[in-house]
Amino acid sequence: MELPELAARWMHALTSTAYIPLSHAEIQQVLLDALVELPESPESVATRLVSLHATGPDSLRATIDVLSPKFELPLLARLSSAYAHAMRLDAFDQQEQIKVAIVRAKQRVERTLKVSQARFQEVFASSALGIAITGFDGKCVEANDTLAEIVGLESGTDLIGRQLIDFFHPEDKTALAASYRQVREGQVDRFRDQRKLIREDEEPVWVYLAASLVRDADGEPAHHVTMVEDISDLHLLQRNLDHQLLHDSLTGLSNRQHFMTRVERGLGGDPITLYHLGLDAFSVVNNGLGHDTGDKLLKIVANRLGKLAGEKKAVLARIGGDEFAMMTFSDNVTSTIEEIQDALAEPTFVDDHGIALSASIGVVDRPPAFATAAELMRCANAALRQAKARGKRQWALHDPHDDARRRGKYALAASMPGAWEHGELEIVYAPAHDLETREVLGAVARLHWDDLSHNDTMALADSTGLSLPIGRWLLREACAQAARWVAEFGDRAPALHIALGACSPATRISSPTSSERSTRPVCRRNGCGSRSTSRRCWPGTTTRWCCTTAAS
């Protein structure tokens, strides 16, 4: 979806949740600018939304609904967090204004007009924030109905005479008492904090509070004034987003990112063992019974492995597809593998189908403390591939020496496309001899790359999917060479064999009969005497021909 269209949808969604004192065209232009800026600075976009007065109860939800198809979840999480922060700052600005009004109103109450008291009461009573004025003993002197609603009481009068700090979670009381004491003693002008309240019905409520001093007519500290904002919805939204970032949506297990963080924490402590599990033949379930059944089976597997991980106090994660990872501490590898296989082997009825699975497992046991989590995951994955190569229900222990050898092979395979592109692959035409007579019967076209043989080169091409295009190139070049030989030598042209990859049959082109071979001239070079042709007679090749080969 193009940005102007997305900005229009965003504008309609926001204007349905909050009043924005601008025309639709102006709002759309502001949002279009925000979309351009969003990938680089979601925080400034959040500040812009709040300054635009897009602060209705459902404004953030509407924004997430509109932007989620276009932008990634981590970016939207940052936007949501910044939006909540900007809302709090905006609320605190309002709170500061309200607080000034409260202080001035209290001073005027003691001196003069009832109208000032009326104005104060109006601000105090109609505020969207909970407000409490407490003595230095912590008891409420005055509170508005908004605060009473937050703590689960009928009206603000129900709070008068009660300790405000008693409504906070027991774990927060000591810290809050110290913060109030610092304000009273003048160590700080005010404090702001996020805490958890306990309502009268014992339900928890997350609030953001700000507290400062109220002074009397002589400027002496008289009371504390506390402003309370209910942020339970925003707190829940942030927790949900954080959970989605770190957990698998299907099974609820930790995802790869969270698991690697746990592995990093585990390094340097007790000896760890890393297991990388790949379910055997899981594609059979998906293809035969459907992906819905496969998803249900994955949940069952996650539940069984979770119970095993709980017994062993291990860390478990789903790291993608049908693969899981588990980290244990001071573990016996063989017994754990048996327990994993036993847990998976029990048939489970899913949609009336009795299904049982096994797993191939790669193991990294007691790695050195200086290893990184990313390197351990790579080693475990390499061991898993080794286990899968041995068949079903197998496991393999990571071998550093074998891994180094295979990494070298994989590095060559990865660099083959570039080598082919730069012309580093050559075609070598090797002579084919009669074993009895030593007569050269023809030539075999083979690939040559660096110090690798033809078979090794084709094996690397097979592993990277290049065997078909390289094979077509080999056929084309070799056939062109054979055509040049036929044009120059006619019936005396050598037979040409082309060696392809393991999945392709060898190809033989322009195969002459024995009588045709007998009519070829005898090679006189270096006294060879073979009925073949020397390099001098076959232009365009890069081979050492029969005169040197026969002599050897």
Side-chain angles (χ1 to χ4, degrees):
M1 183 184 297
E2 296 297 328
L3 292 184
E5 182 182 355
L6 184 60
R9 290 187 57 188
W10 194 6
M11 180 269 293
H12 289 295
L14 284 180
T15 53
S16 66
T17 62
Y19 171 72
I20 301 177
L22 295 174
S23 68
H24 282 190
E26 292 173 327
I27 298 172
Q28 185 172 344
Q29 183 59 45
V30 172
L31 296 180
L32 180 59
D33 296 338
L35 288 174
V36 174
E37 188 179 0
L38 179 59
E40 297 296 331
S41 179
E43 291 79 10
S44 61
V45 172
T47 303
R48 184 178 299 184
L49 286 176
V50 175
S51 64
L52 195 63
H53 299 292
T55 56
D58 298 323
S59 296
L60 180 58
R61 177 188 57 78
T63 296
I64 297 299
D65 290 343
V66 172
L67 300 184
S68 57
K70 179 72 175 179
F71 297 95
E72 298 292 336
L73 182 59
L75 185 65
L76 297 180
R78 289 177 57 192
L79 176 63
S80 301
S81 179
Y83 180 88
H85 182 67
M87 284 280 289
R88 287 196 295 269
L89 292 179
D90 184 68
F92 290 147
D93 290 339
Q94 299 179 26
Q95 293 169 16
E96 291 295 329
Q97 297 174 8
I98 294 174
K99 211 164 21 171
V100 170
I102 292 173
V103 171
R104 290 176 179 174
K106 289 291 287 183
Q107 291 173 345
R108 293 189 183 102
V109 164
E110 296 177 358
R111 293 181 178 178
T112 52
L113 304 171
K114 289 185 178 180
V115 62
S116 297
Q117 176 67 24
R119 290 174 182 174
F120 163 75
Q121 289 297 337
E122 181 61 26
V123 172
F124 187 81
S126 62
S127 174
L129 301 173
I131 303 174
I133 298 176
T134 58
F136 292 150
D137 59 357
K139 293 183 179 180
C140 288
V141 176
E142 197 168 357
N144 64 358
D145 292 343
T146 304
L147 180 59
E149 182 180 353
I150 292 175
V151 300
L153 297 176
E154 293 293 333
S155 67
T157 56
D158 297 332
L159 282 165
I160 296 176
R162 298 184 63 172
Q163 291 282 344
L164 180 63
I165 203 171
D166 288 343
F167 288 96
F168 288 91
H169 194 277
E171 296 179 357
D172 295 337
K173 290 183 178 181
T174 302
L176 280 174
S179 298
Y180 276 111
R181 184 169 57 253
Q182 290 177 346
V183 172
R184 184 176 69 249
E185 293 174 356
Q187 298 179 21
V188 295
D189 293 335
R190 63 185 59 84
F191 75 87
R192 297 172 177 176
D193 208 349
Q194 180 176 312
R195 295 292 177 180
K196 183 162 62 174
L197 281 172
I198 304 298
R199 290 167 48 93
E200 283 289 292
D201 55 9
E202 298 185 355
E203 289 293 325
V205 179
W206 282 95
V207 297
Y208 206 91
L209 57 90
S212 61
L213 281 176
V214 176
R215 300 181 181 273
D216 59 20
D218 299 324
E220 295 296 326
H223 299 87
H224 286 124
V225 58
T226 304
M227 307 248 183
V228 181
E229 178 189 7
D230 186 350
I231 59 169
S232 297
D233 292 341
L234 288 176
H235 182 79
L236 180 61
L237 174 61
Q238 186 171 355
R239 288 190 60 184
N240 288 339
L241 290 174
D242 290 342
H243 186 274
Q244 292 177 28
L245 284 173
L246 299 176
H247 292 79
D248 175 55
S249 59
L250 177 65
T251 62
L253 298 177
S254 296
N255 60 13
R256 176 184 289 271
Q257 177 183 357
H258 193 203
F259 182 74
M260 291 183 66
T261 302
R262 301 289 296 276
V263 172
E264 289 177 353
R265 294 176 183 173
L267 291 172
D270 293 335
I272 67 170
T273 303
L274 197 63
Y275 300 86
H276 191 168
L277 288 70
L279 300 181
D280 294 329
F282 183 73
S283 59
V284 174
V285 177
N286 276 339
N287 296 332
L289 303 178
H291 288 272
D292 289 341
T293 301
D295 289 344
K296 294 177 182 178
L297 185 59
L298 284 175
K299 293 180 182 179
I300 294 173
V301 169
N303 185 49
R304 292 184 178 181
L305 293 177
K307 291 181 180 178
L308 179 61
E311 295 172 358
K312 291 182 168 293
K313 297 182 179 179
V315 180
L316 179 66
R318 181 190 178 204
I319 58 177
D322 60 350
E323 295 185 0
F324 296 81
M326 186 167 68
M327 178 179 67
T328 59
F329 301 91
S330 303
D331 195 21
N332 183 290
V333 174
T334 55
S335 62
T336 297
I337 289 176
E338 291 177 359
E339 292 173 0
I340 292 173
Q341 298 291 11
D342 291 342
L344 298 179
E346 182 181 352
T348 300
F349 282 88
V350 181
D351 297 334
D352 297 329
H353 301 286
I355 306 172
L357 291 176
S358 62
S360 297
I361 306 173
V363 183
V364 179
D365 187 32
R366 302 173 187 270
F370 58 80
T372 64
E375 176 65 13
L376 293 183
M377 291 296 292
R378 188 201 63 77
C379 293
N381 182 267
L384 173 61
R385 302 310 155 201
Q386 286 294 101
K388 284 184 174 290
R390 299 174 184 173
K392 309 298 183 185
R393 198 184 171 95
Q394 300 296 316
W395 68 280
L397 191 64
H398 174 253
D399 182 351
H401 302 291
D402 183 65
D403 182 54
R405 179 180 62 82
R406 291 181 179 278
R407 289 191 73 180
K409 177 182 176 182
Y410 295 148
L412 278 175
S415 63
M416 177 172 277
W420 184 34
E421 181 72 20
H422 290 88
E424 297 178 17
L425 271 68
E426 299 177 348
I427 302 175
V428 175
Y429 299 90
H433 292 87
D434 187 307
L435 294 179
E436 295 182 355
T437 64
R438 306 287 290 179
E439 178 184 2
V440 177
L441 304 178
V444 179
R446 297 179 180 275
L447 286 177
H448 180 75
W449 178 33
D450 199 11
D451 294 329
L452 297 179
S453 67
H454 172 83
N455 291 337
D456 290 339
T457 303
M458 290 305 295
L460 291 179
D462 286 336
S463 67
T464 57
L466 285 177
S467 56
L468 289 179
I470 287 181
R472 286 195 293 265
W473 170 74
L474 175 59
L475 282 171
R476 183 171 62 252
E477 295 296 324
C479 289
Q481 180 62 56
R484 288 193 292 269
W485 286 340
V486 171
E488 184 171 355
F489 302 109
D491 293 340
R492 295 184 293 107
L496 178 61
H497 294 260
I498 303 176
L500 299 178
C503 298
S504 303
T507 302
R508 185 171 184 266
I509 299 176
S510 182
S511 176
T513 64
S514 58
S515 61
E516 291 173 337
R517 289 195 297 271
S518 66
T519 62
R520 292 178 178 172
V522 175
C523 178
R524 302 299 182 186
R525 189 177 184 186
N526 297 332
C528 174
S530 175
R531 290 187 179 276
S532 183
T533 310
S534 67
R535 180 179 181 182
R536 178 178 54 193
C537 300
W538 288 3
T541 66
T542 58
T543 53
R544 297 179 297 275
W545 270 107
C546 63
C547 52
T548 57
T549 307
S552 63

